[in-house]
Structure formats: structure tokens, C-alpha cells
Amino acid sequence: MHWYMQVWRKYAVFSGRASRAEYWTFALINLVISVLLLAVDTAINSRVPDVLYGLATIVPSLAVGCRRLHDTDRTGWWQLIALVPVLGWLALIVLMALEGTHGPNKYGGDPKSHAVGAAASYPA
């Protein structure tokens, strides 16, 4: 839950780096919440809860995706590859699953480093 809340604390922070744990924990919890909200939507015959949650998570999802790509020393614009049907999504999943660069890179300090990770994730 720590990583999920970490993403919400950095709601619109597109600079810095995010570890695989931060990104994938956020993605997994988002998936679980979306499935639960879909069940609620079905029960009340409305799409409002799921749509509202989806709208609320657009910015933090893009931000953590950008920071995750920064950890692999890529620009956040690589998220646009998801616009390519099927192959784009697969390529983005692979990019998000890659191990980040060790030590600092041009986007900040290594998020795995306890001394640097918390401070380097925020903009200067």
C-alpha cells in the first residue's frame, strides 16, 4: 500500500524516477479497484463510480509511467507507444518491466537507493 499512496502523493510529478515496485503496485491496485468498481457499476446499473475513478487516476498513472520510463533512462513520451494497437501495449509492458539503470541517470537518483530515492523522486 506504501507504493500506491506514494504515487498519489506525487499526483502530478513527472520528473524523477519510479521503481518497478512503485509502478507495478500502483497498476495492480488500480486493476483491483477497477474490477471492484465494475462490480458496483453492474449492481447499481451505472458506470459513474468506475468512470470517476478512471478520470481521477489519469494524471497519476501518466506521471508514474513517466517516472518509470525515466528509471530505464527513457523519456516519458515513450508512453505514446501504447497508441499502437496490441503491439504498442506489449512494448510498453516490456519497457515498464525492464530493470532501471543502476545509480543516478539524467532523470535523477536511483529510486532503489534509500539515501537518494525519496529525495530524487521530487523535482528540485
Side-chain angles (χ1 to χ4, degrees):
M1 199 62 168
H2 163 74
W3 294 118
Y4 181 76
M5 295 310 297
Q6 178 85 353
V7 172
W8 282 103
R9 278 189 227 100
K10 299 180 196 175
Y11 187 87
V13 177
F14 288 84
S15 61
R17 295 167 63 177
S19 66
R20 284 186 288 188
E22 182 178 352
Y23 177 80
W24 288 108
T25 301
F26 183 75
L28 177 63
I29 292 174
N30 265 349
L31 177 65
V32 169
I33 291 171
S34 292
V35 168
L36 292 174
L37 287 174
L38 190 58
V40 170
D41 288 349
T42 303
I44 64 173
N45 200 22
S46 171
R47 295 277 302 162
V48 173
D50 191 37
V51 169
L52 288 177
Y53 182 74
L55 289 172
T57 59
I58 288 174
V59 173
S61 295
L62 289 172
V64 74
C66 184
R67 292 193 312 270
R68 178 69 205 121
L69 287 165
H70 286 173
D71 191 40
T72 63
D73 214 11
R74 289 173 179 78
T75 178
W77 289 104
W78 272 97
Q79 290 182 88
L80 293 176
I81 199 170
L83 296 175
V84 177
V86 183
L87 294 177
W89 277 99
L90 292 174
L92 188 60
I93 289 170
V94 168
L95 290 175
M96 297 300 192
L98 291 174
E99 185 174 2
T101 55
H102 296 284
N105 67 15
K106 64 184 174 185
Y107 297 104
D110 192 342
K112 288 185 178 180
S113 169
H114 295 312
V116 177
S121 297
Y122 289 99

